[in-house]
DNA sequence: CACAGGATATACT
DNA sequence: GTATATCCTGTGA
């Protein structure tokens, strides 16, 4: 499976299917273990009310980045998915750090591996992603996406940090991963 | 564990 | 103009 093939699916298929892939930026990154799907017609999605200056990338080509400022402090990065031209995306929430740990420690200012990429704001800081990367093509350098070699077990849970459509189980995580931003809800 | 401070772009009235 | 946002961190129990 190539990245281009993965992107042909729905936003939910992309979200579930991208778990276990390795994302590198300039050779720094790790395995994707946690994402959230923001679908067409989803009230929690930035694209819900149509295209604006901020979310323009979400209506652009699939496989590019949508990067935006969150709470005035953090950057959050999404993989743009196409859903009938309406704008959809997969929010990158956590990586299992595998490449360039030292570089990520420098950028994050913390030594604890568990805190390098566990959370959308931490992940972008560790990879050095900012507004400059909004709209960037993930299939070209400095970006690299490698498919997993062995099968990945994916679980669905509810999304985090949103105020609408809170019950939708559109957060996808690797089962039993210890690198998530939050533990799976009990039960 | 709970809580609140931080700091800014954007959307909406 | 005002409110709110796909959050992180430090502090005090």
């Amino acid at each position: 499976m190539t990245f281009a093939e993965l992107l042909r699916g729905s936003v939910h298929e992309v979200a579930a299917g991208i778990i276990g892939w390795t994302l590198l930026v300039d050779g720094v990154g790790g395995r994707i273990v946690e994402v959230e799907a923001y679908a067409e017609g989803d009230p929690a999605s930035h694209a819900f009310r149509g295209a604006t200056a901020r979310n323009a990338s979400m209506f652009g080509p699939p496989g590019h980045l949508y990067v935006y400022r969150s709470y005035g402090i953090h950057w959050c990065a999404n993989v743009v998915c196409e859903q009938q031209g309406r704008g959809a995306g997969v929010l990158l929430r956590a990586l299992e750090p595998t490449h360039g740990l030292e570089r990520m420690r420098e950028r994050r200012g913390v030594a604890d591996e568990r805190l390098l990429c566990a959370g959308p704001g931490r992940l972008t800081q560790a990879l050095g992603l900012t507004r400059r990367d909004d709209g960037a093509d993930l299939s070209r350098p400095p970006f690299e996406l490698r498919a997993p070699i062995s099968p990945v077990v994916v679980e669905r849970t509810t999304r985090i940090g949103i105020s609408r459509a809170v019950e939708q189980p559109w957060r996808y995580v690797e089962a039993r991963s210890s690198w998530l931003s939050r533990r799976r809800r009990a039960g």
Side-chain angles (χ1 to χ4, degrees), chain A residues 95 97 111-119 122 178-181 183:
Chain A
L95 302 183
D112 189 344
E113 282 183 29
R114 303 278 159 139
L115 298 177
L116 287 183
C117 301
R122 291 168 175 166
S178 53
W179 302 96
L180 306 180
S181 65
R183 281 313 200 140

Side-chain angles (χ1 to χ4, degrees), chain A residues 98-110:
Chain A
T98 57
H99 291 67
L101 288 254
E102 275 317 305
R103 196 89 177 79
M104 293 197 272
R105 283 197 182 94
E106 285 169 23
R107 289 174 176 152
R108 291 272 301 116
V110 297

Side-chain angles (χ1 to χ4, degrees), chain A residues 10-19 34-46 58 78-79 81 83 87-93 156-160 162 164-165 168-173:
Chain A
S10 72
V11 65
H12 291 289
E13 289 168 334
V14 174
I18 206 170
I19 299 293
E34 175 179 351
V35 300
E36 287 176 359
Y38 288 86
E40 167 198 0
D42 175 358
S45 170
H46 284 180
M58 277 190 101
N78 292 251
V79 178
C81 298
Q83 236 176 28
V90 171
L91 172 67
L92 300 172
R93 289 196 52 94
R156 286 201 326 173
T157 69
T158 53
R159 295 178 291 184
I160 291 171
I162 57 174
R164 304 193 296 189
Q168 299 296 347
W170 291 341
R171 174 176 177 243
Y172 297 81
V173 304

Side-chain angles (χ1 to χ4, degrees), chain A residues 28-180:
Chain A
V28 175
R31 268 167 63 89
I32 299 171
V33 296
E34 175 179 351
V35 300
E36 287 176 359
Y38 288 86
E40 167 198 0
D42 175 358
S45 170
H46 284 180
F48 182 60
R49 290 188 180 77
T52 65
R54 174 175 63 161
N55 68 18
S57 300
M58 277 190 101
F59 294 84
H64 289 224
L65 277 174
Y66 164 46
V67 182
Y68 70 94
R69 192 78 146 159
S70 174
Y71 290 91
I73 304 170
H74 312 287
W75 298 100
C76 291
N78 292 251
V79 178
V80 173
C81 298
E82 168 108 46
Q83 236 176 28
Q84 297 163 10
R86 304 246 197 140
V90 171
L91 172 67
L92 300 172
R93 289 196 52 94
L95 302 183
E96 172 182 344
T98 57
H99 291 67
L101 288 254
E102 275 317 305
R103 196 89 177 79
M104 293 197 272
R105 283 197 182 94
E106 285 169 23
R107 289 174 176 152
R108 291 272 301 116
V110 297
D112 189 344
E113 282 183 29
R114 303 278 159 139
L115 298 177
L116 287 183
C117 301
R122 291 168 175 166
L123 183 156
T124 53
Q125 189 180 21
L127 297 188
L129 297 175
T130 69
R131 169 116 231 151
R132 290 196 323 274
D133 301 291
D134 184 37
D137 185 350
L138 284 169
S139 65
R140 296 173 38 186
F143 302 99
E144 187 177 349
L145 275 159
R146 297 181 188 164
I149 305 166
S150 48
V152 179
V153 181
V154 178
E155 287 179 348
R156 286 201 326 173
T157 69
T158 53
R159 295 178 291 184
I160 291 171
I162 57 174
S163 55
R164 304 193 296 189
V166 293
E167 292 309 315
Q168 299 296 347
W170 291 341
R171 174 176 177 243
Y172 297 81
V173 304
E174 177 170 25
R176 294 180 301 283
S177 172
S178 53
W179 302 96
L180 306 180

